[in-house]
Amino acid sequence: MSITGFYIKVNGINVYCETNNAPDDKATIICLHTAGRENRQYHDMMNIFAKKYKMISFDMPAHGKSWPLPGNKVINNYKDYGKFVWAVIQELRVENPIVIGCSMGGNIVYHIAQEYPVRAIVSMQGSDYTPTIDERILELLNHPYVSCQHSHLEFSECLIGKATTQERKDFILWGVMSEIGITKQGDLTQYNGFDVRDKMDKVTCPTLVIQGLDDPIATEEMAKATIARISNCKKLIYKPIPDYGHFILVENPEKVCEYMDEFITQLD
């Protein structure tokens, strides 16, 4: 595995990025992590695509190795989140990117496709509408008497598919134990308020939807309802994956890369 880490400055914030150093003559893929986590989720995919597609992942502000917003603040709404993602892409000087994301990142790619010029998007465990988090949980995520890591451990474990290997399950749960309360609170606040249903006709770029079916929070029904609202898309492909769940990019990166390779090849 050959992965290079580096920093860029975006809106005055130090943003940590990683790339697999692959050639960018076919496609450059911008990768968005799930809520509360960071770009190590993409290491297996970067390795699989090491000689085929250039992948760049980055930690959003207050995640992983990236600095928070001034005053130790976090992004807590999807419009500002999308603006920041696009500012990163511009700073990286990537034109015509393929933008992919999972869970929260799988939601945001729809918003980005509505507002910004992208070549294609890949949504994993994403939806155009997610009113799924109890408001009382959001309040407790950054409470001084509550451990965000411990309170979310069993919840995150129940989202993992039954076929996931123990090694990958352990990595996912280590990610939970590494989370920061205020960061997870901001992410789930914008996830819980995400609703772009009225603009889904603006998603015109090729779209690949990958859905792990063993997911009780981002369900197949939600994915299909989202797909039904994509009415002007140039190419729309749906790929369900049985026995894998919410963290599909980590749980089964081989199958995700297989479907993405087919999709990108068709673009070419």
Side-chain angles (χ1 to χ4, degrees):
M1 182 184 298
S2 176
I3 293 176
T4 300
F6 59 97
Y7 276 96
I8 59 175
K9 185 82 75 173
V10 180
N11 298 341
I13 297 167
N14 293 321
V15 175
Y16 179 70
C17 308
E18 291 183 341
T19 179
N20 63 349
N21 299 298
D24 55 3
D25 56 335
K26 289 188 178 180
T28 297
I29 303 168
I30 302 295
C31 310
L32 310 180
H33 54 69
T34 67
R37 310 301 168 80
E38 31 83 10
N39 66 35
R40 280 184 298 172
Q41 292 179 317
Y42 283 98
H43 279 189
D44 283 343
M45 291 180 60
M46 283 184 166
N47 190 37
I48 293 169
F49 280 154
K51 296 182 179 179
K52 195 154 194 177
Y53 302 118
K54 184 175 183 178
M55 298 182 71
I56 304 175
S57 61
F58 65 95
D59 297 339
M60 285 292 289
H63 296 73
K65 296 181 181 180
S66 288
W67 265 238
L69 302 181
N72 288 340
K73 302 297 183 182
V74 300
I75 297 174
N76 61 7
N77 67 88
Y78 72 85
K79 291 182 180 179
D80 286 344
Y81 197 103
K83 288 178 183 177
F84 197 89
V85 169
W86 192 250
V88 170
I89 293 172
Q90 290 182 308
E91 184 63 30
L92 290 168
R93 297 179 181 173
V94 176
E95 296 182 0
N96 211 22
I98 297 172
V99 183
I100 73 174
C102 185
S103 182
M104 176 182 69
N107 285 12
I108 288 294
V109 297
Y110 289 122
H111 170 64
I112 289 173
Q114 293 166 358
E115 303 295 334
Y116 303 100
V118 296
R119 182 181 181 188
I121 59 171
V122 179
S123 175
M124 297 171 277
Q125 310 308 124
S127 176
D128 60 1
Y129 177 53
T130 49
T132 53
I133 308 297
D134 191 306
E135 293 288 343
R136 292 169 295 179
I137 294 176
L138 295 177
E139 293 179 8
L140 291 173
L141 282 172
N142 196 37
H143 193 283
Y145 293 160
V146 176
S147 166
C148 169
Q149 298 93 334
H150 289 87
S151 65
H152 267 65
L153 202 58
E154 289 185 358
F155 171 70
S156 294
E157 187 172 13
C158 83
L159 304 180
I160 302 171
K162 63 177 70 72
T164 304
T165 66
Q166 188 62 45
E167 180 180 7
R168 287 172 173 168
K169 182 177 178 180
D170 288 343
F171 173 72
I172 292 168
L173 296 180
W174 181 257
V176 180
M177 292 186 284
S178 303
E179 290 179 341
I180 300 170
I182 191 173
T183 301
K184 191 62 174 285
Q185 184 185 58
D187 285 351
L188 291 188
T189 297
Q190 68 104 336
Y191 182 83
N192 198 46
F194 190 81
D195 186 358
V196 295
R197 290 174 293 178
D198 61 339
K199 292 186 176 181
M200 290 304 284
D201 61 333
K202 293 186 177 181
V203 178
T204 59
C205 66
T207 300
L208 170 63
V209 177
I210 297 176
Q211 182 71 24
L213 300 183
D214 240 2
D215 186 347
I217 190 171
T219 65
E220 183 180 25
E221 290 73 21
M222 292 167 66
K224 287 184 174 179
T226 299
I227 291 169
R229 288 186 280 267
I230 303 176
S231 57
N232 294 318
C233 184
K234 297 174 182 176
K235 179 184 292 292
L236 177 59
I237 298 175
Y238 175 59
K239 292 289 187 179
I241 304 178
D243 299 328
Y244 291 91
H246 191 73
F247 306 97
I248 188 67
L249 76 167
V250 177
E251 296 180 40
N252 194 341
E254 294 83 5
K255 184 59 70 173
V256 169
C257 286
E258 176 187 330
Y259 290 150
M260 279 185 56
D261 189 29
E262 292 174 359
F263 176 66
I264 295 171
T265 300
Q266 291 175 19
L267 298 181
D268 293 336

